[in-house]
């Protein structure tokens, strides 16, 4: 049986007068579980929790900051703990809203939670993985408090009711999109620069942003920590036995770097960077790849399409159908197709990387 | 009979070491059958619990689940493949399945930013760009378009990608399990594009997901108008969250990454967008350092799913069923041949069940196995005359760093005990 109280179990354990409070409570926990996805790229909780990019968050309440065994904290976090910072409802609330203001110099590359209700919910969720707090969790809070938290929860904005046929398409379904709506979602950028937003940023400006938001996974030099993607280097390796495909060695277009960082990075906190920050980061990734070498180099829509990527010309169309084995299209051979008995030339057992072995394999999927 | 029952009661050992010893277990089961015959099989001569006591009522399982004896039939992942399970893949247990339809809960998963959880009431699909009328649809709006039902396979371009350098993984779940096949219900994409009115300059479509990866792919407009679907049901029920609930794109015959899940935006343009998943990824690096791009179609392919490393022959010599799957992004499968001797001699297999364009096909070869070693292979041929190549032919043409589009002929070595292993042959 798990030593941690699971969200579902909380509901089952409810008795008598605490019912209303507990229903609100379990709603909080359920919401908190969703909020925790923002943390899950780096933190784990529960039975098998291990420290990964960040320390595991079991038994967090009462923990002195920076003290999980075996996890390599920043000097700043260790110092904060030695200075008396311990994690409770209040200190966690402050930290999760503005991590870098509470522990200046922390290496937690997370911008912070914007909604206070998210903070309350994620803490309620984390309590269920806290052996001491779990016992009190169901009776701890007054009903008013719990339901107040539930009420402040934002319901998604309903767009104004529009008549269903505000256009003359063949089936008269859907409604016209507004310019603001299109602008909010249309963030793609094409190799010819179409879609680039106004803004600018230099290599020098990009460096601290990269160090704070990207280096935990991609490494200070873009070399990639563990199995997180490598962002730099690998030039002239594409014909090697183990090619290293990076922005510098492989990517055909600079537009993809800007587009992708803005849409999907940092992993677990997408869309959190400003357009200027993305220009600065894109410039910095170019610098890490020796495509620009001046720290004062500034990237903006004015010079964006002038930057050529080294490997652009090496992309060719799909020529598979012309390959010899397809081109023939003769009747397949049915007998004596190979001279003499067939021999085994290789066995999976030799490499033996099937899951449930502890071995690490040499393959890759992308 | 008793052999099978003993096996499930004792719990099937699904570990790899388990597969390797399963041949032995089969031998033990045979002995047990002999004993049962002498004394009378107690499973017959004695009254069993399930024959006496009442079972669960109709309220026990509002959403039914497989029998507890099928608990080993699950998707599995290969932790060392990727840095994080949130951007990773798991595999369909092909060796345990039959027919051509994959159950929803066993369809492999591949996503780049975890499974987005979206209330259909909060979902919007936008069409804009080179159109007469940029539009926004709710799920309710989508349900008012005429619907169609179609059966298609979906294969990840990286299926079998770990095998380019030689046999690595012991089990067709891992070598070939990034494929599934379900019946989709959805609206032809053409109807949605017509509703917005594509301008004559519109040649490309960018499809985008609402997940944390905001996955994007460029698709030529001819394909979008030809046979793509915007689907909200799979096998009759709502899409599973990991398959893009509430709505996904279906791009028949083309690589799975293009089947954008959690589909929220379609932009019409006059050139492709060169997105990360069509430059950094899903381009096929050749030996000479050049890379093919826009390699969308999945080529003709097949694999024997049983016997295979996770599904050894457990009953000893005699009558047995060799079965597998074949598919092609070009259309129907015309024919599948099976070889027992590593590709020297071939015989046609029997395709059974419906033969549908761009869907999985099920084939069988029913043989009397004499207990000698086999090097099992299957070779598919599609209606356009494309024949599944040998792995060495592919390597000669592409090198070993392609990652994607490995449709080479798979070999399983079956030894005298019925144990199967992933091998490569001369």
């Amino acid at each position: 049986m798990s030593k941690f109280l699971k969200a579902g179990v909380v509901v089952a354990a409810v008795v008598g007068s605490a019912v209303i409070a507990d229903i609100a409570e379990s709603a909080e926990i359920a919401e908190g579980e969703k909020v925790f996805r923002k943390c899950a790229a780096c933190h784990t909780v529960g039975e098998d929790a291990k420290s990964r990019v960040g320390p595991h968050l079991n038994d967090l309440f009462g923990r002195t900051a920076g003290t999980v065994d075996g996890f390599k904290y920043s000097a700043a976090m260790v110092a904060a703990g030695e200075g008396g910072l311990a994690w409770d409802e209040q200190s966690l609330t402050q930290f999760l809203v503005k991590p870098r203001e509470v522990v200046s110099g922390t290496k937690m590359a997370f911008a912070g939670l914007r909604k206070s209700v998210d903070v309350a919910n994620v803490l309620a969720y984390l309590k269920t993985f806290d052996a001491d707090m779990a016992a009190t969790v169901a009776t701890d809070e007054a009903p008013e408090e719990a339901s107040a938290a539930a009420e402040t929860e934002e319901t998604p904005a309903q767009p104004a009711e529009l008549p269903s046929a505000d256009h003359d398409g063949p089936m008269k379904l859907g409604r016209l999109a507004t310019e603001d709506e299109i602008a909010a979602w249309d963030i793609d950028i094409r190799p010819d620069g179409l879609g680039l937003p106004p803004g600018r940023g230099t290599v020098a400006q990009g460096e601290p942003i990269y160090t704070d938001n990207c280096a935990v996974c991609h490494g200070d030099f873009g070399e990639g920590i563990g199995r997180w993607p490598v962002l730099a280097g690998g030039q002239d390796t594409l014909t090697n036995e183990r090619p290293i495909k990076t922005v510098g060695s492989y990517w055909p277009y600079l537009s993809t770097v800007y587009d992708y960082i803005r849409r999907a990075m940092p992993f677990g906190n997408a869309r959190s960077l400003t357009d200027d920050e993305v220009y600065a980061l894109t410039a910095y990734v170019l610098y890490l790849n020796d495509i620009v070498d001046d720290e004062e180099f500034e990237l903006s829509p004015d010079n964006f399409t002038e930057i050529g990527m080294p490997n652009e010309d090496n992309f060719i169309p799909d020529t598979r159908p012309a390959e010899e084995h397809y081109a023939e299209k003769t009747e397949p051979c049915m007998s004596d197709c190979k001279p003499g008995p067939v021999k085994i030339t290789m066995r999976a057992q030799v490499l033996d990387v099937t899951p449930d072995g502890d071995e690490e394999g040499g393959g890759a999927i992308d | 009979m008793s052999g099978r029952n003993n096996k499930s009661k004792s719990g099937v050992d699904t570990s790899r070491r388990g597969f390797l010893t399963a041949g032995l277990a089969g031998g033990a089961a045979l002995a047990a059958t002999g004993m049962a015959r002498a004394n009378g099989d107690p499973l017959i001569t004695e009254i069993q619990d399930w024959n006496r006591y009442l079972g669960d009522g109709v309220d026990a399982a509002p959403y039914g689940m497989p029998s507890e004896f099928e608990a080993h039939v699950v998707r599995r992942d290969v932790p060392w493949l990727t840095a994080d399970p949130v951007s990773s893949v798991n595999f369909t247990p092909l060796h345990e399945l039959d027919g051509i339809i994959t159950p929803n809960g066993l369809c492999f998963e591949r996503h780049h930013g975890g499974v987005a959880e979206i209330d259909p009431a909060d979902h919007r699909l936008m069409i804009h760009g080179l159109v007469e009328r940029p539009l926004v649809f709710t799920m309710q709006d989508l349900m008012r378009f005429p619907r169609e039902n179609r059966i298609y396979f979906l294969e990840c371009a990286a299926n079998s990608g770990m095998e380019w350098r030689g046999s690595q993984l012991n089990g067709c779940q891992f070598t070939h399990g990034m494929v599934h096949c379900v019946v989709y219900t959805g609206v032809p994409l053409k109807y949605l594009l017509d509703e917005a009115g594509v301008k004559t300059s519109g040649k490309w479509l960018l499809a985008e997901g609402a997940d944390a990866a905001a996955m994007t792919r460029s698709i030529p407009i001819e394909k979008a108008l030809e046979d793509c679907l915007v689907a909200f049901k799979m096998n009759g029920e709502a899409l599973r969250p990991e398959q893009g609930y509430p709505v996904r794109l279906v791009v028949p015959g083309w690589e799975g990454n293009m089947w954008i899940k959690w589909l929220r935006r379609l932009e019409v343009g006059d050139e492709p967008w060169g997105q990360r998943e069509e430059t950094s990824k899903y381009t096929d690096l050749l030996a000479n350092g050049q890379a093919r791009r826009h390699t969308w179609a999945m080529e003709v392919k097949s694999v024997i799913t049983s016997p295979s490393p996770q599904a050894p022959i457990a009953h000893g010599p005699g009558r047995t069923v060799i079965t597998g799957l074949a598919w092609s992004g070009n259309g129907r499968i015309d024919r599948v041949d099976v070889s027992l001797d590593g590709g020297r001699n071939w015989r046609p297999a029997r395709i059974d069940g419906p033969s549908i364009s761009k869907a999985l096909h099920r084939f069988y070869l029913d043989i009397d196995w004499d207990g000698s070693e086999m090097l099992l292979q299957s070779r598919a041929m599609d209606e356009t005359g494309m024949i599944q190549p040998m792995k060495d032919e592919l390597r000669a043409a592409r090198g070993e760093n392609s990652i994607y589009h490995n449709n080479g002929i798979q070999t399983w070595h079956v030894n005298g005990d019925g144990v199967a292993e992933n091998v490569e042959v001369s």
Side-chain angles (χ1 to χ4, degrees):
Chain A
M1 187 47 200
S2 164
K3 96 173 153 128
F4 303 111
L5 212 47
K6 295 267 159 60
V9 181
V10 176
V11 184
V14 162
V15 263
S17 62
V19 165
I20 296 168
D22 285 328
I23 289 171
E25 181 74 46
S26 63
E28 261 196 306
I29 293 171
E31 286 304 309
E33 186 174 359
K34 288 189 201 157
V35 178
F36 189 73
R37 281 191 214 136
K38 298 196 168 83
C39 328
C42 304
H43 293 291
T44 57
V45 286
E47 210 83 64
D48 302 318
K50 278 197 230 82
S51 294
R52 303 204 314 179
V53 175
H56 76 73
L57 296 181
N58 287 343
D59 297 322
L60 179 62
F61 294 79
R63 177 195 298 177
T64 300
T67 54
V68 166
D69 269 354
F71 180 77
K72 233 174 129 255
Y73 288 94
S74 63
M77 184 64 77
V78 174
E82 285 165 0
L85 178 65
W87 297 122
D88 59 17
E89 196 98 27
Q90 203 193 332
S91 60
L92 281 168
T93 302
Q94 289 165 348
F95 179 67
L96 292 181
V97 172
K98 295 235 157 93
R100 278 181 219 125
E101 275 181 25
V102 175
V103 182
S104 149
T106 177
K107 67 172 185 178
M108 169 153 130
F110 181 68
L113 291 169
R114 256 170 277 170
K115 295 191 213 153
S116 52
V117 57
D118 283 352
V119 176
N121 288 341
V122 81
L123 291 182
Y125 175 68
L126 288 172
K127 278 181 199 167
T128 65
F129 299 98
D130 195 291
D132 301 330
M133 299 299 279
T136 60
V137 81
T139 50
D140 204 21
E141 280 175 39
E144 295 80 31
E145 212 181 306
S147 53
E151 270 163 31
T152 55
E153 195 177 316
E154 287 163 39
T155 45
Q158 293 297 315
E161 256 339 297
L162 289 162
S164 58
D166 64 352
H167 65 84
D168 52 5
M171 301 199 198
K172 312 253 179 316
L173 290 171
R175 62 165 175 86
L176 289 172
T178 71
E179 274 177 31
D180 285 351
E181 288 172 337
I182 296 172
W185 276 6
D186 182 7
I187 57 162
D188 46 80
I189 298 158
R190 256 181 11 189
D192 61 2
L194 189 77
L196 278 173
R200 57 194 60 251
T202 65
V203 171
Q205 288 164 339
E207 182 180 356
I209 308 171
Y210 181 89
T211 306
D212 286 356
N213 294 282
C214 323
V216 256
C217 298
H218 294 297
D220 284 337
F221 306 100
E223 75 280 16
I225 304 288
R227 265 170 280 149
W228 302 101
V230 178
L231 298 188
Q235 276 83 352
D236 302 322
T237 65
L238 296 184
T239 54
N240 291 6
E241 200 187 320
R242 305 268 166 179
I244 301 167
K245 295 191 275 181
T246 72
V247 170
S249 70
Y250 193 66
W251 291 34
Y253 311 119
L254 183 60
S255 58
T256 317
V257 183
Y258 191 103
D259 177 290
Y260 183 70
I261 294 175
R262 180 161 67 154
R263 83 172 45 247
M265 290 292 133
F267 193 60
N269 197 17
R271 304 298 309 273
S272 59
L273 299 163
T274 66
D275 292 343
D276 283 346
E277 285 174 327
V278 180
Y279 277 110
L281 283 166
T282 306
Y284 189 66
V285 172
L286 285 175
Y287 180 78
L288 287 176
N289 278 289
D290 301 322
I291 296 172
V292 300
D293 49 18
D294 179 2
E295 287 183 29
E296 293 315 311
F297 170 80
E298 182 179 73
L299 189 65
S300 75
D302 298 336
N303 60 358
F304 199 95
T305 54
E306 288 160 24
I307 314 270
M309 299 296 272
N311 195 45
E312 176 173 355
D313 293 339
N314 276 325
F315 285 83
I316 59 167
D318 184 1
T319 47
R320 288 175 297 165
E323 286 173 347
E324 216 177 311
H325 47 263
Y326 287 138
E328 291 172 16
K329 286 202 180 173
T330 45
E331 270 296 295
C333 170
M334 294 303 282
S335 53
D336 293 325
C337 306
K338 290 179 180 176
V342 174
K343 285 198 195 66
I344 295 176
T345 55
M346 192 174 186
R347 298 170 166 273
Q349 265 190 63
V350 175
L351 223 66
D352 207 4
V353 289
T354 313
D356 107 86
D358 308 321
E359 312 82 359
E360 299 237 322
I365 61 142
D366 289 283
Chain B
M1 276 313 281
S2 69
R4 183 164 18 130
N5 213 290
N6 286 342
K7 194 173 163 197
S8 49
K9 262 192 172 165
S10 63
V12 176
D13 182 356
T14 52
S15 70
R16 183 183 66 255
R17 274 140 206 126
F19 312 143
L20 299 181
T21 50
L24 281 167
L30 283 177
T33 312
M35 233 156 60
R37 231 173 257 147
N39 309 328
D41 183 349
L43 283 163
I44 297 170
T45 57
E46 289 167 18
I47 293 165
Q48 305 296 321
D49 284 357
W50 57 85
N51 190 213
R52 170 167 300 161
Y53 304 114
L54 300 177
D56 282 343
V58 293
D59 52 354
Y63 193 101
M65 297 299 283
S67 156
E68 61 173 295
F69 303 109
E70 298 295 314
H72 57 290
V73 184
V74 289
R75 298 181 287 215
R76 294 181 191 278
D77 65 341
V78 180
W80 52 258
L81 275 180
T82 51
D84 192 285
V86 170
S87 171
S88 192
V89 59
N90 63 25
F91 301 88
T92 305
L94 298 178
H95 60 292
E96 294 280 358
L97 304 179
D98 217 318
I100 64 164
I101 297 292
T102 317
N104 287 340
L106 295 178
C107 291
F108 82 93
E109 295 175 65
R110 169 67 171 129
H111 24 76
H112 293 251
V115 177
E117 196 174 295
I118 305 173
D119 181 340
D122 294 343
H123 192 73
R124 302 286 182 273
L125 173 60
M126 183 188 288
I127 303 188
H128 70 107
L130 299 175
V131 294
E132 303 296 338
R133 301 165 287 277
L135 296 178
V136 172
F137 302 109
T138 61
M139 286 306 294
Q140 237 173 358
D141 296 332
L142 291 181
M143 306 294 219
R144 294 169 66 189
F145 283 90
R147 271 171 240 167
E148 291 185 12
N149 292 287
R150 311 221 210 107
I151 298 177
Y152 294 121
F153 78 81
L154 181 163
E155 184 183 17
C156 177
N159 199 20
S160 314
M162 291 83 75
E163 304 286 311
W164 275 103
R165 295 204 176 90
S167 26
Q168 282 217 45
L169 294 166
N170 247 334
C172 71
Q173 176 166 22
F174 304 110
T175 56
H176 290 76
M178 284 198 270
V179 66
H180 60 63
C181 182
V182 305
V183 47
Y184 294 97
T185 309
V187 177
L189 179 53
K190 181 179 189 316
Y191 296 161
L192 302 185
L193 292 172
D194 286 350
E195 195 67 7
V198 174
K199 294 186 176 165
T200 48
S201 52
K203 300 285 179 243
W204 289 85
L205 189 68
L206 184 77
E208 181 182 81
D211 59 325
M215 180 58 63
T216 34
R217 285 296 297 255
S218 308
I219 300 167
I221 202 87
E222 304 84 57
K223 177 70 175 176
L225 295 172
E226 181 194 325
D227 61 358
C228 290
L229 277 186
V230 170
F232 33 78
K233 295 267 162 46
M234 57 195 289
N235 292 334
E237 65 178 354
L239 293 177
R240 290 292 167 89
E242 66 271 28
Q243 305 300 341
Y245 180 86
V247 64
R248 86 173 306 164
L249 196 59
V250 170
V251 191
W254 287 16
E255 61 190 19
N257 181 257
M258 304 178 84
W259 300 44
I260 300 295
K261 301 191 274 193
W262 311 287
L263 180 71
R264 77 161 186 192
R265 188 165 73 95
L266 295 163
E267 179 175 0
V268 180
D270 54 2
E271 277 174 38
W273 280 262
Q275 293 283 297
R276 186 237 188 187
E277 257 64 30
E278 47 210 22
T279 54
S280 170
K281 308 295 168 194
Y282 303 99
T283 48
D284 314 346
L285 181 59
L286 303 175
N288 66 3
Q290 292 191 314
R292 289 182 180 140
R293 62 174 180 178
H294 297 170
T295 48
W296 300 309
M298 299 310 296
E299 298 150 78
V300 59
K301 188 164 176 177
S302 71
V303 66
I304 291 172
T305 54
S306 176
S308 64
Q310 295 159 289
I313 302 178
H315 55 59
R319 200 69 187 166
T320 199
V321 176
I322 294 170
T323 184
L325 292 166
W327 62 96
S328 166
N330 301 322
R332 283 194 183 77
I333 293 295
D334 253 7
R335 164 171 157 196
V336 181
D337 301 321
V338 169
S339 170
L340 310 184
D341 60 5
R344 256 193 107 195
N345 298 289
W346 296 86
R347 52 181 109 173
R350 170 171 65 91
I351 293 178
D352 188 73
S355 165
I356 299 166
S357 178
K358 301 171 189 173
L360 292 186
H361 289 58
R362 172 62 61 178
F363 67 84
Y364 298 98
L365 185 71
D366 306 289
I367 61 162
D368 271 316
W369 180 45
D370 61 7
S372 61
E373 285 189 35
M374 295 188 283
L375 288 167
L376 289 180
Q377 296 187 337
S378 63
R379 176 181 69 192
M381 187 170 142
D382 71 25
E383 62 177 329
T384 69
M386 293 283 204
I387 301 166
Q388 186 179 4
M390 290 187 286
K391 285 184 178 173
D392 283 339
E393 289 176 320
L394 281 178
R395 291 184 186 116
R398 305 178 189 177
E400 298 184 359
N401 284 321
S402 193
I403 298 178
Y404 307 105
H405 296 289
N406 182 350
N407 64 325
I409 290 174
Q410 175 65 45
T411 313
W412 306 127
H413 173 243
V414 179
N415 72 13
D417 294 331
V419 173
E421 186 192 354
N422 176 7
V423 298
E424 299 245 349
V425 290
S426 55

